[in-house]
Amino acid sequence: MSQFRKLCAIVLMASQVTVPGLLFSFAQAEPVTVDPVEAGKRMYREGILPSGQPLRAIVQGDIEVNGSQLNCMSCHRRSGFGSSESGTLVPPVTGKALWRGQEMRRQQQFTKIMTGRAQSANSQLMRPAYNDETLAQAIRGGVTSSGRTLDPLMPRYIFSEPEIEYLTAYLKSLSEKPSPGVTDTIINFATVITEGVEPGKQKAMVDVLERFFNDRSAQSRGETARAQRGPWHRDWIDGAYRAWVLHVWKLSGPRETWREQLDSFYRSQPVFALIGGIGTGNWQPIHNFCEANELACLFPATDYPVVSETNYYNLYFNKGVTLEANALTTYLTNIKPGAKEPVKLLQVFHSDQGRSVPAQALNKALQTHGTISISQQAIEDTGTLTAAYWQTLIKQEQPSILVLWLDDKDLHSIGAGLNTANGIEEIFISGSLIEQPFKSIPKDIRDKVFIVHPYALPEANARGIMRTKPWLRSREIESPYLRLQANTLFSATMTGMVIRRMLDNYSRNYLIEKMEHMVENAQATGAFPRLSLGPGQRFASKGVYIGRFSSEAEDKIIPASKWITP
């Protein structure tokens, strides 16, 4: 082969190997388009730079640290409206707060004038408005637009020019305008009712919400006028007023279509938040819809809430039947007399619509306890629960403990089925699923029945129940579902209290944050003995009682345990 041909062959082989690599290199070298607001959002919320690296900063004067825990949201919160912790005030960093100078509130000026401590009503400037340069100085160097040095707790971030521009772009957009569902005069709310909810329950819940909304409108007839021409020292309150409008979203058909229906409702009329709501089976479709749209869902009536580490916008009363299963585990393994003795436990539950959740939770929790052997029976049709069914099941399984994750209509034949059954020492039923235990549980087996009860015991006269009764009576609303109505009234009342404290900052994130701080101060707590939330907490009630039927009174539930918090 000639030298020329050898050279051509070498070049050809080299080209076959290197050309794809060269093409790949060129492809890699193409500039990546960065959305400044989205990049800044990730820096703010997650503490991650566009490069994928965690944030870096100087703390305590000269210590360089790095990590995603340096994200801004940890202190300034997702809304950007700040917080306070142990006497330290974390100021707001929203676009409106930063790019507008801080002024003394007009009611403060009014107080000074009336007490003779000020001679002028002119606003007193407390801090000049930030611009891009002074904000960068504050973030990097810890010096405000007025020249004041920030608290040492505020990290001095190490940002490149593009990185500071990304964060600045996001801060300008943060809570810049009201969330969807809010206009200059109206706040739109919705409540969700799913397929399968009894008509009586639907009416009971909607009646409470509609009357609450009507009362709110009637009590504030002058608010609209005051919002337009109120006294100057009250414009910070009066100007924040909005009328409330309620929309009822009813979901029908297969559960797989609910998300599409919710999207359609929302496109037709965006709402600021969902208040209350009621559903059968798993709440997952509504939960996912709210998380995807960053829409607050406030205390729906569901026994099957979504228990998730990433939940932000869904606030629940408790973990539903999952909480009951975990509390029952604590009772059976640590509290119940003879808890260490070997026993056989049988669970009966529905297999559809996610209603196997409590059985799965109890089974998982008891796996590590060798003294309790578990068997399970899933049912598909309530019609199969005849007396003969129960007799056959008990004879076959021979349990000493029976756990029933069933509702009132499932237990119509349990008395006849268990009358002749020997060996069953205890029967545990769900206090959430059973709404009328005195009608559903026959008298001749009540001495064996225990109720996993997540609500205030009747003898305790829950504050929410006691306040709900006269409220309903004064409005001539029937109360066949008092527990549901008390919880619905709590949801609406709590939302009203929080909205008032938000003034004109109609941000859904701020709504959630105010809820976290204010729930524990509620005077009426629905059907629960106590409710509280904190940053990141999404379940307001954390425990249950184990109750039982009183042997002295036919219509009384008494505690068989203290409040159990698993």
Side-chain angles (χ1 to χ4, degrees):
M1 182 182 294
S2 67
Q3 293 296 325
F4 177 78
R5 290 193 175 189
K6 286 183 180 180
L7 180 60
C8 289
I10 292 172
V11 171
L12 180 59
M13 288 187 292
S15 66
Q16 290 174 342
V17 174
T18 60
V19 168
L22 289 172
L23 291 175
F24 179 75
S25 299
F26 284 129
Q28 288 291 90
E30 290 181 3
V32 178
T33 302
V34 176
D35 183 329
V37 174
E38 286 301 314
K41 180 179 180 179
R42 192 179 186 203
M43 293 166 63
Y44 183 92
R45 290 189 178 184
E46 302 175 33
I48 301 297
L49 295 168
S51 64
Q53 297 298 312
L55 301 187
R56 294 189 302 137
I58 303 295
V59 298
Q60 299 299 322
D62 59 355
I63 303 173
E64 182 175 333
V65 295
N66 66 79
S68 59
Q69 71 273 13
L70 290 170
N71 68 77
C72 312
M73 187 175 72
S74 296
C75 296
H76 294 281
R77 306 306 309 276
R78 183 178 291 225
S79 69
F81 282 105
S83 62
S84 61
E85 184 69 31
S86 301
T88 300
L89 178 66
V90 180
V93 291
T94 63
K96 186 186 297 186
L98 293 175
W99 275 266
R100 184 177 65 186
Q102 282 186 348
E103 297 179 353
M104 186 175 291
R105 281 183 172 176
R106 290 186 175 183
Q107 81 275 16
Q108 294 174 315
Q109 287 281 11
F110 182 75
T111 300
K112 286 191 173 186
I113 292 172
M114 298 304 293
T115 56
R117 287 183 290 158
Q119 303 300 319
S120 171
N122 293 330
S123 295
Q124 177 181 340
L125 194 64
M126 300 171 64
R127 171 186 58 72
Y130 279 100
N131 55 38
D132 291 4
E133 290 72 25
T134 56
L135 181 62
Q137 173 182 274
I139 294 173
R140 287 169 166 161
V143 179
T144 70
S145 59
S146 62
R148 182 177 63 85
T149 300
L150 291 170
D151 192 287
L153 291 175
M154 169 67 181
R156 277 51 170 171
Y157 288 96
I158 303 171
F159 285 149
S160 66
E161 283 303 318
E163 290 164 355
I164 199 74
E165 290 173 4
Y166 298 153
L167 183 58
T168 300
Y170 178 65
L171 293 178
K172 287 181 178 179
S173 71
L174 187 58
S175 301
E176 176 187 16
K177 56 185 179 181
S179 295
V182 180
T183 71
D184 291 340
T185 57
I186 288 174
I187 310 177
N188 291 285
F189 295 93
T191 192
V192 173
I193 301 174
T194 74
E195 177 95 349
V197 177
E198 298 174 21
K201 287 185 178 180
Q202 296 184 34
K203 185 177 186 303
M205 185 196 71
V206 173
D207 281 350
V208 170
L209 289 176
E210 288 183 342
R211 288 306 300 268
F212 182 88
F213 274 60
N214 289 340
D215 288 354
R216 184 178 176 85
S217 298
Q219 293 168 3
S220 56
R221 289 171 181 166
E223 297 290 348
T224 302
R226 281 193 288 269
Q228 297 173 349
R229 53 179 183 274
W232 65 271
H233 66 282
R234 281 183 53 87
D235 65 353
W236 64 288
I237 294 179
D238 296 334
Y241 169 74
R242 304 288 191 280
W244 286 26
V245 176
L246 177 66
H247 305 270
V248 179
W249 293 353
K250 290 190 176 183
L251 305 179
S252 59
R255 301 175 70 83
E256 295 76 18
T257 67
W258 289 2
R259 177 59 184 271
E260 183 180 346
Q261 294 177 51
L262 289 167
D263 288 336
S264 177
F265 282 128
Y266 189 71
R267 283 194 301 269
S268 176
Q269 176 56 70
V271 295
F272 183 59
L274 302 184
I275 297 182
I278 186 170
T280 59
N282 201 307
W283 194 253
Q284 187 88 51
I286 301 93
H287 177 102
N288 291 348
F289 166 78
C290 290
E291 291 296 318
N293 289 280
E294 298 193 349
L295 174 65
C297 180
L298 307 175
F299 305 106
T302 173
D303 299 319
Y304 301 90
V306 178
V307 181
S308 168
E309 295 296 329
T310 59
N311 171 27
Y312 185 84
Y313 292 97
N314 290 270
L315 302 185
Y316 296 105
F317 282 110
N318 61 21
K319 293 183 179 179
V321 288
T322 299
L323 169 66
E324 294 182 23
N326 293 333
L328 180 56
T329 298
T330 300
Y331 178 77
L332 292 175
T333 57
N334 295 307
I335 300 175
K336 184 179 87 72
K340 304 302 181 182
E341 298 177 5
V343 295
K344 184 173 182 180
L345 182 149
L346 170 63
Q347 296 192 89
V348 182
F349 57 92
H350 283 280
S351 60
D352 62 325
Q353 298 182 4
R355 289 192 285 176
S356 62
V357 167
Q360 293 172 359
L362 184 63
N363 188 45
K364 180 179 179 181
L366 288 176
Q367 281 180 348
T368 58
H369 297 277
T371 58
I372 300 178
S373 63
I374 306 174
S375 58
Q376 302 186 143
Q377 183 67 35
I379 57 175
E380 298 182 0
D381 182 9
T382 298
T384 63
L385 297 176
T386 62
Y389 172 89
W390 289 112
Q391 291 171 2
T392 302
L393 179 64
I394 300 305
K395 183 178 180 180
Q396 177 182 334
E397 298 292 340
Q398 297 184 351
S400 56
I401 297 177
L402 187 61
V403 179
L404 305 177
W405 301 110
L406 305 173
D407 57 27
D408 296 275
K409 64 179 180 294
D410 296 325
L411 300 178
H412 64 282
S413 62
I414 190 171
L418 298 184
N419 268 342
T420 59
N422 296 321
I424 293 183
E425 300 173 1
E426 296 163 322
I427 303 170
F428 291 90
I429 63 175
S430 166
S432 296
L433 302 178
I434 301 291
E435 297 188 359
Q436 299 176 320
F438 300 105
K439 292 183 179 180
S440 302
I441 305 300
K443 294 180 181 180
D444 50 3
I445 65 169
R446 288 183 183 177
D447 60 327
K448 297 181 179 181
V449 174
F450 293 81
I451 303 173
V452 187
H453 196 73
Y455 308 104
L457 292 170
E459 65 174 16
N461 291 326
R463 291 174 296 171
I465 296 292
M466 296 302 292
R467 289 173 179 266
T468 301
K469 286 180 178 179
W471 190 91
L472 295 173
R473 189 164 52 247
S474 66
R475 290 157 180 80
E476 298 182 346
I477 299 176
E478 296 182 357
S479 55
Y481 299 98
L482 188 56
R483 191 167 73 194
L484 168 63
Q485 291 168 306
N487 290 341
T488 302
L489 184 58
F490 167 84
S491 302
T493 303
M494 197 70 235
T495 302
M497 292 172 58
V498 169
I499 291 290
R500 182 172 179 81
R501 293 291 185 91
M502 291 170 61
L503 300 179
D504 62 345
N505 301 309
Y506 289 108
S507 159
R508 292 170 178 169
N509 293 326
Y510 195 37
L511 172 68
I512 293 291
E513 292 161 11
K514 297 297 284 186
M515 280 283 182
E516 290 174 341
H517 287 281
M518 293 180 62
V519 163
E520 67 179 357
N521 297 320
Q523 294 182 346
T525 54
F528 298 89
R530 59 185 69 86
L531 295 172
S532 66
L533 289 173
Q537 296 182 8
R538 294 296 174 263
F539 301 96
S541 181
K542 281 78 172 177
V544 307
Y545 291 106
I546 301 296
R548 65 181 308 166
F549 292 94
S550 171
S551 59
E552 300 177 356
E554 292 188 357
D555 58 349
K556 188 176 182 180
I557 302 293
I558 60 174
S561 76
K562 296 181 179 179
W563 184 252
I564 301 173
T565 305

